């Protein structure tokens, strides 16, 4: 607000331009008013902005970059012809005073007292960047032979330290050097795989066509193979064998029709005989139609059928009827 006082253009009645010259001199004040109150000590009060993040030593609080203070600015020295200014300001959170000054050599501000800098500067050496050779060093390398020798020795030492790592990397690279062979190996492997897949697909398609299946086939497993082997249907005889067997049976058969009641021919008839004997044993009467137990109806029985149509099925009954 101090500046605004200077903009007051009121000239009082006793103002004499020849005597006073200006309003400032009439008021006996500095054009910068309050800001210049310590001018006798060489201090001017200015607005100072924090150039980077700091921690206050008094309250240990973090003060961010850009916080503004009313600071006392004072010239403390020179860097060549550039003046070095020092700024003194009170922390806005405590009673501690922070002092900073310019550093023209590095185009930076340095903290003199009352705070600590939060280090956020990029350090090339810390980050393992290749450092540029300084101008002074370059000059020395060109003129000082002894320095050049020592410098070269240090460089060779660095090389010796890095050499094992480098050779390791080279060995690792050489393993991949013959890329043609590696590539062909890989391609051959893929080709074999592809061929196997194709063969399997063809086999599947053939099976599907044979069984007229439209469902997709899952890959065959060892269990499936074992189960299929157990389920496999084995015919004992071939077609020719079966034919031969039938033929011999026909040949060995009697040419004449069997006598009624007497079953003499073929394997089946022998079985029937056995069964009829059993039924005869069970029944008190020996009826010729006892074979009807088996549900087999014969010609001689059919002739008697009109008497009782259930003859064939219910033999015991028929036998009883006939007995009297
Ligand atoms: Zn503080």
């Amino acid at each position: 607000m101090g500046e605004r006082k200077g903009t007051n253009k009121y000239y009082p009645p006793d103002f004499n331009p020849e005597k006073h010259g200006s309003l400032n001199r009439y008021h006996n004040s500095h054009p910068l008013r309050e800001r210049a109150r310590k001018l006798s000590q060489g201090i001017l009060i200015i607005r100072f902005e924090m150039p980077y993040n700091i921690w206050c030593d008094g309250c240990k609080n973090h003060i961010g970059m850009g916080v503004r203070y009313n600071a006392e600015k004072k010239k403390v020295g020179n860097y060549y012809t550039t003046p070095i200014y020092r700024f003194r300001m009170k922390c806005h959170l405590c009673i501690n005073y922070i002092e900073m000054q310019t550093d023209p050599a590095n185009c930076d501000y340095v903290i003199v007292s009352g705070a600590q800098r939060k280090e956020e500067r990029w350090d090339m050496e810390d980050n393992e960047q290749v450092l540029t050779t300084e101008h002074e060093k370059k000059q020395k390398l060109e003129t000082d032979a002894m320095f050049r020798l020592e410098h070269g020795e240090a460089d060779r030492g660095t090389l010796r330290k890095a050499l094992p790592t480098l050779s390791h990397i080279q060995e690792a690279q050489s393993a991949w050097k013959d890329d043609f062979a590696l590539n062909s190996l890989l391609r051959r492997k893929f080709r074999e795989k592809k061929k196997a897949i194709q063969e399997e697909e063809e086999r599947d398609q053939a099976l599907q066509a044979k069984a007229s299946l439209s469902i997709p086939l899952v890959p065959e497993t060892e269990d499936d193979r074992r189960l299929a082997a157990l389920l496999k249907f084995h015919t004992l005889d071939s077609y020719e064998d079966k034919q031969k067997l039938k033929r011999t049976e026909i040949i060995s058969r009697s040419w004449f029709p069997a006598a009624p009641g007497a079953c003499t021919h073929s394997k089946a008839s022998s079985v029937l005989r056995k069964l009829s004997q059993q039924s005869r044993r069970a029944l008190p009467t020996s009826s010729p139609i006892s074979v009807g137990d088996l549900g087999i109806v014969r010609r001689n029985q059919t002739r008697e059928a009109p008497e009782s149509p259930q003859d064939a099925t219910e033999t015991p009954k028929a036998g009883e009827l006939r007995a009297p």
Side-chain angles (χ1 to χ4, degrees), residues 56-61 63 91 93-94 96:
C56 172
D57 275 353
C59 58
K60 307 290 174 196
N61 271 311
I63 297 164
C91 171
L93 299 164
C94 69
N96 180 48

Side-chain angles (χ1 to χ4, degrees), residues 126-194:
D126 267 13
N127 292 289
E128 292 180 352
Q129 279 189 321
V130 176
L131 298 169
T132 48
T133 317
E134 280 164 31
H135 183 67
E136 270 179 38
K137 220 173 179 181
K138 239 186 241 175
Q139 243 176 0
K140 218 172 171 186
L141 273 170
E142 278 165 18
T143 53
D144 194 341
M146 203 61 202
F147 180 78
R148 191 164 60 226
L149 194 67
E150 280 170 8
H151 195 271
E153 194 52 46
D155 278 358
R156 271 190 285 279
T158 315
L159 179 68
R160 267 197 298 278
K161 227 188 274 174
L163 217 52
T165 322
L166 285 171
S167 63
H168 265 302
I169 292 166
Q170 274 175 343
E171 270 173 40
Q173 286 290 324
S174 64
W176 294 94
K177 212 162 192 179
D178 194 5
D179 48 358
F180 174 76
L182 284 168
N183 190 24
S184 62
L185 185 75
L186 197 69
R187 285 166 69 88
R188 203 182 312 135
K189 226 182 257 179
F190 282 150
R191 221 173 289 134
E192 280 164 15
K193 214 177 185 179
K194 199 176 166 187

Side-chain angles (χ1 to χ4, degrees), residues 3-34:
E3 297 92 295
R4 276 210 285 175
K5 283 174 188 170
T7 60
N8 190 344
K9 301 290 185 206
Y10 176 69
Y11 286 86
D14 59 340
F15 178 78
N16 185 355
E18 284 167 6
K19 189 182 162 195
H20 301 112
S22 72
L23 269 176
N24 281 327
R25 200 174 298 165
Y26 173 82
H27 287 298
N28 199 21
S29 68
H30 193 272
L32 294 173
R33 313 279 165 176
E34 286 299 296

